[in-house]
Amino acid sequence: AERGASVVNGYYQYSRSDSRFTVIDFPRLDHMYRALDAVIDPGTGAIVCRSTLSFPADGCVPANMFGPGAPSPAAIDYILEGDMWRDSMVEQHFAELSAQTELERGITGSPMMVAGGVSFRRERFDQAPGPADLVALQTHPAAQEGYRGLPSSFVSAGILQFAGVGETPIGGHFDVGEVFAETLVPLVRDRPLINAMDFNAAARYAHYSGSGGVFAWKAGLDWRVNDSVRFRVTRSRDTRAATLSERFDVAGSGATAYDPVLDATYSFSTISGGNPAVAPELGDTWTLGMVLQPATLPNLGLSIDWYDVRISDYITVLGIQRLINECYAGAQELCDRIERNPVSGNITWVQNLYLNLAAARVRGLDVEFTWQHALSLFGTGNESIRLRILSSLLDENSFTNVSTATRDDAGTTSLPRWTATGMLAYRNGPFELALTGRYIADRVQFRAPIAPSDQLDDNGVDSVFYTNLRLGYEFDLGDYGRHSLFFNVANLFDVDPPVVANWSDFFGASAFPPGLHDTLGRRFTLGLEFEF
């Protein structure tokens, strides 16, 4: 091996960031239920709060929820009365020291690159409600105050007086210390069928206060057969630590659920949110890719990438009813999060915290095709046509929760197995015409273990194809800059989203995801862009 010049580059950085925000005007729940329970005063014929009939000086303002301008400003002020607030602070300290160098040249004549370093990060979260007099408020049973509707689980301290505000300060912090290294090793150069082959690897050990250490790594091979064909493969162990919210952001509330032990439905108190002891998620990933750029067709490119991602120790919350059901089915680790009255047997508290309970897997194939060619249709000598196609094939998107069978949602309403987007553009000097098409394959609404027959008669969702049109013209005004005029038509053929069977207790519910489908129909945009 030939000794080459060794260059070491070091880098150190330290940063601190703080963010603080205050949220005000949370609805006061007892006032909201009072205002909604409106009746006619038998003495005056006026519409008043039911509670006012029993307590004339309670100050309640009836709220009409229907019609233009409803509810009235006075009713809104009454429901929001108190101006309870929540003061939150997020703080981060970060320091890192890293260096990189070139090691001696090997048989390929190319240096091996090595980098490494250490880092430390502390994240802190604090949140407190106020003012103290409102935090200390007690909610009395509705019947005692002369109105109806307030769930019995809302009879508690200030946490239930104001929706969205906890009654006690919460907060916490975690520290992360990391050691990391990365290398790029040239293996082969200029051999038959191997124009170049490189090995790359990376490793990182992170220690989290509260959940211990976790090791992540990556190893990959990049093989360039020639200037036209390239292969790449990567195997990695990836991690994701819980966020501040998943660790510390807890809140109490009331809930109503079915208790299979007592065969009854009733209300109780809950604690939901963060768990300081939640461990990092672990992911095992394979990726395999190929890139084609034929020398005989220099304006054509094709890339194909296959991926397989498995996640364990998935961080999730089960939900109140699921916790109760799984405990009843024998999951003792979940029963520890349910507290019952020793005399009546009723549930008094449920801890619905983030836990490492699930596994997930995603597999699929991504394909990208590009092509560009010069034209001379009108003899201007400045014409071209460009085609780009992106396609995604989803083979699996599964989720396995505690004590349940694996559920694969690939090919369902929001996760179609096949989607494709194509763009065909013609340019002639400053003028451009572009058509974009988006295809979403047919699919079903539900997959096993939820039987379609138990849900609806027609479980299918039809395929759909959307087309967009863009016309653009660029012009240069010299000292006044370069500008462009454009005209867009979204959903050119006014294609409706697929019709699917659906029902909901909430107005405005949609059975198809608006982010995936066009829910507005054909629409036009005329614009002018300025660049000075």
Side-chain angles (χ1 to χ4, degrees):
E2 175 188 355
R3 169 78 57 181
S6 180
V7 179
V8 177
N9 296 315
Y11 179 71
Y12 169 78
Q13 71 172 16
Y14 169 79
S15 65
R16 170 179 172 172
S17 60
D18 301 277
S19 62
R20 181 180 293 273
F21 58 91
T22 299
V23 184
I24 61 173
D25 283 345
F26 287 100
R28 183 168 168 174
L29 295 179
D30 62 334
H31 279 202
M32 182 175 69
Y33 281 99
R34 289 173 190 262
L36 291 175
D37 190 9
V39 298
I40 297 177
D41 188 329
T44 64
I47 297 177
V48 298
C49 300
R50 180 184 299 273
S51 61
T52 304
L53 297 181
S54 302
F55 304 92
D58 68 353
C60 181
V61 179
N64 178 14
M65 305 303 293
F66 303 97
S72 67
I76 294 176
D77 290 341
Y78 173 73
I79 293 174
L80 297 178
E81 182 182 352
D83 285 347
M84 193 175 188
W85 45 260
R86 180 177 61 203
D87 190 14
S88 302
M89 186 274 290
V90 178
E91 182 181 67
Q92 181 187 80
H93 292 259
F94 174 76
E96 180 176 291
L97 177 65
S98 61
Q100 62 180 26
T101 185
E102 296 180 359
L103 298 183
E104 62 184 39
R105 301 177 185 273
I107 59 175
T108 64
S110 300
M112 182 173 72
M113 306 297 297
V114 177
V118 295
S119 69
F120 173 81
R121 186 175 78 253
R122 166 170 287 188
E123 297 192 20
R124 184 177 186 86
F125 168 72
D126 288 293
Q127 178 176 292
D133 58 332
L134 294 182
V135 173
L137 281 176
Q138 295 292 324
T139 305
H140 302 291
Q144 181 179 326
E145 301 291 336
Y147 65 100
R148 304 171 301 174
L150 183 72
S152 58
S153 59
F154 283 10
V155 180
S156 181
I159 182 174
L160 299 175
Q161 281 275 356
F162 291 85
V165 182
E167 85 280 17
T168 57
I170 58 175
H173 77 276
F174 67 88
D175 299 334
V176 186
E178 297 179 307
V179 180
F180 54 90
E182 186 171 0
T183 184
L184 174 64
V185 183
L187 298 178
V188 183
R189 289 290 187 274
D190 301 321
R191 298 295 177 89
L193 296 180
I194 305 178
N195 178 263
M197 182 177 290
D198 297 327
F199 172 77
N200 59 82
R204 178 182 294 262
Y205 177 78
H207 187 275
Y208 294 85
S209 61
S211 57
V214 61
F215 182 67
W217 56 270
K218 179 192 77 168
L221 195 66
D222 192 319
W223 170 25
R224 190 163 63 247
V225 179
N226 50 46
D227 291 339
S228 301
V229 182
R230 177 186 173 194
F231 296 95
R232 57 200 177 202
V233 60
T234 302
R235 173 71 170 89
S236 65
R237 159 58 66 91
D238 311 298
T239 66
R240 187 189 78 86
T243 64
L244 282 169
S245 176
E246 291 168 337
R247 286 174 178 265
F248 304 115
D249 190 4
V250 295
S253 63
T256 301
Y258 171 72
D259 181 2
V261 174
L262 301 181
D263 190 22
T265 300
Y266 54 91
S267 299
F268 45 84
S269 298
T270 70
I271 298 177
S272 301
N275 178 4
V278 69
E281 295 177 345
L282 302 178
D284 293 297
T285 303
W286 276 100
T287 60
L288 178 63
M290 178 183 68
V291 179
L292 297 177
Q293 293 177 309
T296 55
L297 297 171
N299 295 323
L300 184 146
L302 174 67
S303 68
I304 303 174
D305 290 281
W306 171 83
Y307 58 90
D308 185 353
V309 183
R310 299 171 182 259
I311 301 176
S312 58
D313 290 333
Y314 196 89
I315 300 173
T316 186
V317 288
L318 284 179
I320 301 299
Q321 189 64 66
R322 183 68 177 277
L323 274 168
I324 297 172
N325 292 347
E326 296 294 345
C327 169
Y328 182 72
Q332 184 56 46
E333 69 276 15
L334 300 182
C335 294
D336 295 339
R337 300 189 175 276
I338 299 175
E339 180 180 307
R340 292 182 177 272
N341 185 302
V343 177
S344 66
N346 282 6
I347 295 173
T348 56
W349 283 94
V350 173
Q351 295 182 357
N352 183 32
L353 305 181
Y354 281 98
L355 302 170
N356 298 102
L357 288 175
R361 187 180 186 185
V362 179
R363 292 184 298 158
L365 191 71
D366 291 332
V367 180
E368 179 177 359
F369 174 84
T370 59
W371 175 73
Q372 186 170 327
H373 186 66
L375 296 177
S376 184
L377 297 178
F378 299 98
T380 63
N382 195 18
E383 299 174 72
S384 65
I385 188 170
R386 185 174 73 256
L387 175 65
R388 186 184 187 195
I389 299 175
L390 302 171
S391 181
S392 179
L393 301 174
L394 181 63
D395 183 55
E396 180 180 348
N397 192 308
S398 63
F399 189 83
T400 306
N401 219 327
V402 60
S403 305
T404 62
T406 297
R407 178 187 179 93
D408 184 6
D409 286 329
T412 58
T413 306
S414 59
L415 295 169
R417 288 195 180 275
W418 181 29
T419 60
T421 300
M423 184 186 73
L424 180 64
Y426 167 78
R427 177 172 284 277
N428 188 339
F431 172 79
E432 184 178 48
L433 167 65
L435 283 172
T436 302
R438 183 162 58 97
Y439 174 76
I440 305 170
D442 58 349
R443 51 219 187 273
V444 297
Q445 289 200 69
F446 304 102
R447 286 199 180 278
I450 299 179
S453 59
D454 294 337
Q455 299 294 323
L456 65 173
D457 295 330
D458 184 359
N459 192 42
V461 181
D462 292 336
S463 62
V464 65
F465 188 87
Y466 298 109
T467 306
N468 299 331
L469 170 68
R470 176 184 171 90
L471 299 174
Y473 184 82
E474 298 180 351
F475 54 96
D476 195 335
L477 297 181
D479 295 339
Y480 295 97
R482 188 173 183 84
H483 314 302
S484 62
L485 179 69
F486 64 89
F487 176 67
N488 294 342
V489 183
N491 198 350
L492 179 65
F493 301 110
D494 198 23
V495 176
D496 293 329
V499 176
V500 293
N502 182 41
W503 67 271
S504 175
D505 292 333
F506 300 94
F507 294 109
S510 173
F512 50 82
L516 188 63
H517 290 283
D518 190 311
T519 60
L520 301 178
R522 185 190 297 118
R523 52 204 183 275
F524 309 90
T525 303
L526 179 64
L528 183 64
E529 294 180 347
F530 299 88
E531 181 180 337
F532 296 100

